[in-house]
Amino acid sequence: MADGFRRQQRAFIGSFTAAGGLGVLTAAVDPGSGALTVLSAVDGVPDPSYLALSPARDMLYAVSETAVGAVAAYRVTGDKPELTGTLVTVGGSGPTHLSVFDGHVLTANYGSGSVTAVPVRTDGALAGAASSVLQHTGSGPHTPRQHGPHAHQVQPDPSGRWAVSVDLGTDSVRVCALDGGKLTLHREFALRPGSGPRHLAFHPRGEHAYVLNELAPTVTVCRWDAAEGALRPVGETPVLSGVRGGDAYPSGIVVSPDGRFVWTATRGQDVVSVLTPDTVGEGLRLVATVPCGGTWPRALALDPSGRFLYAANERSGDVTWFVVDPDTGVPRRGGSVDAPAASCVVFG
């Protein structure tokens, strides 16, 4: 790999190949403007809709959001991602999210309502078959979206001790442990019935978590106790002004590195919302909404500096970048790049 390429910051963009996506896109990132320039596309994995990097940032993992459900690993030390090994089935359907935790890749399987652990070798490749599948149970009052469990996200907590999964179908967040490759439920925490939690983001101090609810366009603020593995809801804030449920469909949530701002995306309204926490992180205030720059923003991402915000607009097939005002947190549109059926952005 040339020295110039090695110094270049890159972004990886997931997509839905069944809707015309090109697989996993690699883009160069301009450090001054945040602009993206697509460099390559790698096909071969059906619907690599969500991506995650290894701690060493030399491996990229992708779900295959299909009925069978699988996970793939790419080596990203070269000019473009190189598929390593074969896809590993996750024992669940429709995986929508994945993360790296304690030597494993964890997937949240929306269709089957479960969470899976897949071991990772020391070189970052997938070790083989899944070591554990933890099935969620329960339902919610919203039909037909909550007829059963629908795990939508799973990620480590800031302490690295717990795996936290968000279930839209059961209006709950589960805290799990991983011991010897086996996932075990520690505790389950209920949110407001019918809220439909989708994604969660932690405050950088690690004492609060913000849960974005898809079925009610709100964020639930929770206290987080890492020592006890306990989550306690303390409040709920709308992410839109004058809109309640219906066709809003909030999707992604990110928190600024300094904890001063929270951003959410809402697909039905095609907007990005800006919220500000109070000084302790326990209250949120909606301060602005801006157009997402496209249609159906499925996910949001911040670049590592926190200066630029990105929206993966699935139905318009592009990724829009924004320059974040450092005083207000309000994003200003910078531009966009074509990315058919875009679903997420991660930075390598």
Side-chain angles (χ1 to χ4, degrees), residues 128-170:
S131 61
S132 180
V133 179
L134 181 64
Q135 180 63 50
H136 292 184
T137 59
S139 60
H142 190 293
T143 54
R145 297 293 307 280
Q146 295 184 314
H147 64 280
H150 291 299
H152 214 301
Q153 183 201 38
V154 61
Q155 65 171 322
D157 85 299
S159 75
R161 179 178 177 183
W162 308 103
V164 181
S165 62
V166 182
D167 196 300
L168 186 150
T170 62

Side-chain angles (χ1 to χ4, degrees), residues 182-207:
K182 181 177 175 58
L183 287 163
T184 58
L185 178 63
H186 170 64
R187 290 180 67 183
E188 180 179 357
F189 298 92
L191 301 186
R192 182 171 60 82
S195 57
R198 177 183 173 95
H199 272 211
L200 173 154
F202 285 97
H203 189 281
R205 288 199 297 263
E207 298 171 350

Side-chain angles (χ1 to χ4, degrees), residues 53-303:
L53 281 159
S54 66
R57 311 191 83 74
D58 59 346
M59 297 294 294
L60 180 73
Y61 304 104
V63 299
S64 178
E65 191 176 333
T66 59
V68 174
V71 63
Y74 300 85
R75 196 165 299 282
V76 291
T77 51
D79 289 358
K80 62 181 181 179
E82 178 184 352
L83 191 62
T84 302
T86 58
L87 274 67
V88 175
T89 57
V90 297
S93 64
T96 55
H97 188 269
L98 82 170
S99 58
V100 181
F101 177 64
D102 194 21
H104 293 73
V105 170
L106 305 183
T107 67
N109 311 315
Y110 180 85
S112 54
S114 58
V115 173
T116 300
V118 177
V120 174
R121 298 190 326 217
T122 55
D123 65 356
L126 300 174
S131 61
S132 180
V133 179
L134 181 64
Q135 180 63 50
H136 292 184
T137 59
S139 60
H142 190 293
T143 54
R145 297 293 307 280
Q146 295 184 314
H147 64 280
H150 291 299
H152 214 301
Q153 183 201 38
V154 61
Q155 65 171 322
D157 85 299
S159 75
R161 179 178 177 183
W162 308 103
V164 181
S165 62
V166 182
D167 196 300
L168 186 150
T170 62
D171 293 317
S172 61
V173 176
R174 289 167 172 81
V175 178
C176 302
L178 182 65
D179 186 11
K182 181 177 175 58
L183 287 163
T184 58
L185 178 63
H186 170 64
R187 290 180 67 183
E188 180 179 357
F189 298 92
L191 301 186
R192 182 171 60 82
S195 57
R198 177 183 173 95
H199 272 211
L200 173 154
F202 285 97
H203 189 281
R205 288 199 297 263
E207 298 171 350
H208 293 89
Y210 304 113
V211 183
L212 181 63
N213 300 307
E214 179 174 337
L215 302 183
T218 61
V219 173
T220 301
V221 180
C222 302
R223 291 177 185 163
W224 171 247
D225 185 336
E228 298 294 329
L231 189 82
R232 186 162 77 86
V234 294
E236 193 171 342
T237 302
V239 298
L240 301 168
S241 178
V243 177
R244 299 182 180 223
D247 299 327
Y249 305 119
S251 54
I253 181 168
V254 291
V255 183
S256 64
D258 60 9
R260 295 172 56 220
F261 307 111
V262 176
W263 296 277
T264 66
T266 301
R267 290 166 292 178
Q269 304 291 315
D270 292 332
V271 297
V272 174
S273 299
V274 186
L275 301 100
T276 55
D278 60 23
T279 54
V280 297
E282 201 151 283
L284 283 179
R285 182 172 66 93
L286 175 64
V287 297
T289 59
V290 300
C292 70
T295 306
W296 209 250
R298 185 173 177 86
L300 292 177
L302 276 175
D303 82 308

